[in-house]
Amino acid sequence: MLRTHTCGEVNEKLSGKNVTLAGWVDSLRIMSNMIFIDLRDRYGFVQCIIKKNHKDFEVAKKLTKESCVKIKGKVKKRLKANSNKSSGKIEIEMTDLKILSLSDKLPFDPKNVTEDIRLKYRYLDLRINPKLRKNIELRHNVIKFIRDYLDKEKFLEIQTPLLTKSSPEGARDFIVPSRIHPGSFYALPQSPQQYKQLLMVAGMDKYFQIAPCLRDEDPRADRSPGEFYQLDLEMSFVEQEDILNLIEKMLIKMVKTLLPDKKLTFEKIPRLSYEKCMKKYKTDKPDLRKNKKDKNELAFAWIVDFPLFEPELKEGCYAPMHHMFTMPKESDLKLLNKKDAGKVKSYQHDLVLNGFEVGGGSIRVHNPEIQKKIFELIGFDEDDKKYFEHMLTAFKYGVPPHGGIAPGIDRLLMVLLGEDSLREVIAFPKNKEAKDVMMGAPSFVKDIQLKEAHIKLDLPKKKVKKGK
């Protein structure tokens, strides 16, 4: 290792000891007889001093802010402590200074910068923006907490394919041409929905993963364009209340453990029916906080008893309220016909937090005859059904009753932290126009790449502005 300690580990207990540190120059004060360097790494700050008679004094004068350095020195107690920093009671008297790499002048002022510039130089934003760095650290802690919690509940973390089949559901697919199979395409998964249900058919019983989901959707503040991550979870031999109780206990414990300063409006998350929710709040994602302006107050709620289908027909056919694999209420199965299907209630459940939907799921259809009936009501013809032939085939071989949920990691973190944008909880997000301004994506590719993938471009013609 190039260092013996991190900046966050250096304190008065190390007084008189020699240490080797590595990090970035956070600030630099050059005086006539000494130079003060505030050294920073991910873990903290330490003030370092080099005196004029030191062999490396002239080297230190070449330093710029954000230069990367290695410093050796002795830990000493400061005559006057700085209470604003954890290491404010000590300083390092340098015995050796090595410049690992000099930094150019930063391309922006951290106190006055546009979001696109922050995103273009995201690696600098992550390094020098303490709030953003803390958000990313919390993201890690939240995901670790989820993994540890579900592991104790005997869940298996299983990865599902990223190259899969396009199907007529949800948002637009991102499609990937196959070089090996000309004219054929993969699709990037909008969610692992079908795979996780097939894992239940496979007898895995309890599954989860922190799943990337890729959808060709328009961006908005609470939705990451193109890609997001969700806690994808499925369980066999369960009823709806089993899923709700598992997630509720996990989230309440997570908040109390990782965010102890947050106030929970409800220790027991309330269940609200969709119908009563819409009648009382005029929305299916109500903000139930007592003080709507308090970002430290967290009000979770479950919304249940959704209609199986949207109220409006599309081209004479029903459209799923959640998705086509959602189980209808047993008492409403007799209503699964063209005339009465709009009255059917389902086992859909949405998790709401402070007025945002942060998760959704359902008990799934495990009866192939019910699944075929739903396909018919949403207007699927035989060609449409072929997209799900693998599911219908699997359902012939002993499907267990099963259900699940998929809380969105990004949106959940955004609300937990009181941020106004998902981009504040993602390391390398797209901007408002769904562009990666740091990498320059999306971009054109070389003609040879198009030829290898058997693709010819048919681009829209540029509009020519007519003069007045």
Side-chain angles (χ1 to χ4, degrees):
M1 292 290 289
L2 295 182
R3 61 189 178 193
T4 59
H5 298 79
T6 67
C7 292
E9 292 172 330
V10 180
N11 54 39
E12 58 269 28
K13 293 180 181 178
L14 292 173
S15 292
K17 301 288 181 66
N18 290 314
V19 296
T20 303
L21 307 176
W24 289 268
V25 176
D26 187 71
S27 65
L28 193 66
R29 286 174 291 155
I30 300 177
M31 305 176 74
S32 58
N33 60 344
M34 65 178 64
I35 297 174
F36 292 89
I37 299 170
D38 275 346
L39 188 68
R40 182 192 72 244
D41 63 11
R42 184 185 123 196
Y43 310 95
F45 297 81
V46 175
Q47 178 173 279
C48 305
I49 299 174
I50 186 167
K51 295 181 179 179
K52 189 174 183 179
N53 59 359
H54 192 282
K55 63 180 178 64
D56 292 327
F57 187 79
E58 292 302 316
V59 175
K61 288 171 70 174
K62 298 177 183 178
L63 287 174
T64 56
K65 284 190 65 173
E66 293 306 316
S67 290
C68 191
V69 298
K70 175 183 172 183
I71 289 174
K72 292 182 180 180
K74 181 174 287 188
V75 181
K76 290 191 171 184
K77 288 186 178 181
R78 293 174 66 167
L79 296 176
K80 188 176 181 181
N82 182 348
S83 59
N84 295 324
K85 295 183 178 179
S86 58
S87 61
K89 293 181 179 180
I90 58 92
E91 59 191 13
I92 307 295
E93 188 174 287
M94 292 162 56
T95 58
D96 186 73
L97 168 65
K98 182 177 181 181
I99 298 176
L100 300 175
S101 61
L102 285 171
S103 172
D104 287 349
K105 183 180 178 181
L106 291 186
F108 60 87
D109 178 357
K111 296 179 181 178
N112 182 25
V113 58
T114 64
E115 184 176 61
D116 265 13
I117 294 297
R118 285 180 60 205
L119 294 178
K120 182 177 181 179
Y121 299 98
R122 190 62 162 185
Y123 43 89
L124 294 177
D125 195 29
L126 284 163
R127 190 204 298 173
I128 65 181
N129 185 337
K131 183 167 78 74
L132 181 59
R133 187 169 62 250
K134 286 180 181 178
N135 287 356
I136 299 302
E137 288 174 359
L138 179 68
R139 184 186 181 105
H140 162 80
N141 291 332
V142 164
I143 291 174
K144 183 178 184 300
F145 183 95
I146 289 170
R147 281 196 164 106
D148 292 345
Y149 189 95
L150 293 177
D151 180 67
K152 290 177 182 177
E153 294 290 329
K154 302 189 184 307
F155 278 78
L156 296 178
E157 183 172 8
I158 303 174
Q159 287 72 43
T160 52
L162 285 176
L163 290 174
T164 185
K165 182 180 181 180
S166 181
S167 58
E169 55 174 320
R172 295 185 189 91
D173 284 328
F174 282 111
I175 56 175
V176 181
S178 172
R179 177 186 58 82
I180 299 173
H181 305 283
S184 295
F185 293 80
Y186 298 102
L188 301 180
Q190 296 188 30
S191 79
Q193 181 62 46
Q194 296 178 55
Y195 284 110
K196 68 179 178 182
Q197 289 191 245
L198 291 171
L199 284 169
M200 298 303 101
V201 181
M204 293 297 100
D205 196 60
K206 293 180 176 182
Y207 142 91
F208 87 99
Q209 68 170 312
I210 307 300
C213 300
L214 301 114
R215 301 176 184 177
D216 189 0
E217 296 178 311
D218 294 329
R220 66 187 191 203
D222 67 339
R223 183 169 68 195
S224 179
E227 58 188 308
F228 63 92
Y229 282 81
Q230 66 185 29
L231 162 59
D232 202 56
L233 180 148
E234 200 80 3
M235 305 164 68
S236 292
F237 306 112
V238 290
E239 297 175 327
Q240 186 176 54
E241 197 62 23
D242 298 315
I243 300 168
L244 271 54
N245 284 334
L246 171 81
I247 297 299
E248 177 175 320
K249 290 176 182 177
M250 182 182 72
L251 289 178
I252 297 298
K253 185 174 181 180
M254 183 189 77
V255 169
K256 290 183 176 181
T257 303
L258 301 180
L259 297 160
D261 294 334
K262 298 288 181 177
K263 297 176 290 185
L264 289 162
T265 309
F266 311 106
E267 290 282 339
K268 175 70 176 174
I269 299 179
R271 277 76 165 151
L272 307 175
S273 75
Y274 173 82
E275 186 176 347
K276 291 181 179 178
C277 192
M278 293 300 293
K279 187 177 291 186
K280 183 174 182 179
Y281 301 107
K282 312 300 181 188
T283 177
D284 60 357
K285 41 182 181 289
D287 186 348
L288 301 183
R289 286 177 292 173
K290 294 176 182 177
N291 181 356
K292 302 290 192 289
K293 296 180 180 180
D294 186 357
K295 290 186 176 182
N296 277 326
E297 185 180 356
L298 301 176
F300 287 99
W302 289 110
I303 314 300
V304 295
D305 299 330
F306 281 83
L308 184 63
F309 299 111
E310 296 282 357
E312 300 294 328
L313 297 181
K314 292 184 178 180
E315 299 179 357
C317 298
Y318 290 94
M321 176 73 81
H322 186 48
H323 58 56
M324 61 192 72
F325 306 113
T326 299
M327 183 69 181
K329 297 268 187 176
E330 287 87 350
S331 58
D332 291 346
L333 289 176
K334 60 183 179 293
L335 301 175
L336 279 179
N337 56 66
K338 197 72 173 178
K339 177 184 175 183
D340 300 316
K343 302 175 186 177
V344 177
K345 297 289 192 297
S346 76
Y347 284 107
Q348 176 186 347
H349 40 258
D350 279 4
L351 179 63
V352 174
L353 174 59
N354 293 8
F356 290 88
E357 179 195 333
V358 293
S362 66
I363 296 294
R364 323 299 187 187
V365 175
H366 66 277
N367 183 319
E369 294 306 313
I370 295 175
Q371 190 65 73
K372 287 178 183 177
K373 188 65 179 177
I374 292 174
F375 281 169
E376 290 172 7
L377 288 167
I378 64 178
F380 269 21
D381 57 25
E382 291 306 311
D383 288 336
D384 291 324
K385 291 177 185 178
K386 286 179 182 178
Y387 282 102
F388 302 98
E389 189 173 353
H390 52 282
M391 293 283 286
L392 296 174
T393 299
F395 278 25
K396 296 177 182 178
Y397 300 107
V399 185
H402 60 285
I405 192 171
I409 297 294
D410 310 307
R411 191 178 296 172
L412 177 63
L413 282 164
M414 182 190 79
V415 184
L416 288 174
L417 289 166
E419 295 286 359
D420 296 322
S421 170
L422 285 170
R423 293 180 287 278
E424 296 305 310
V425 297
I426 300 172
F428 297 105
K430 307 293 185 292
N431 71 359
K432 294 177 182 179
E433 297 176 346
K435 293 180 179 179
D436 184 337
V437 293
M438 181 184 72
M439 299 293 287
S443 63
F444 289 100
V445 297
K446 294 180 178 179
D447 289 343
I448 185 63
Q449 292 174 280
L450 295 174
K451 187 175 181 179
E452 287 175 342
H454 316 286
I455 289 177
K456 290 184 178 180
L457 298 181
D458 183 17
L459 300 176
K461 294 180 179 178
K462 293 183 179 180
K463 294 181 179 180
V464 179
K465 294 182 179 180
K466 295 181 180 180
K468 293 182 179 180

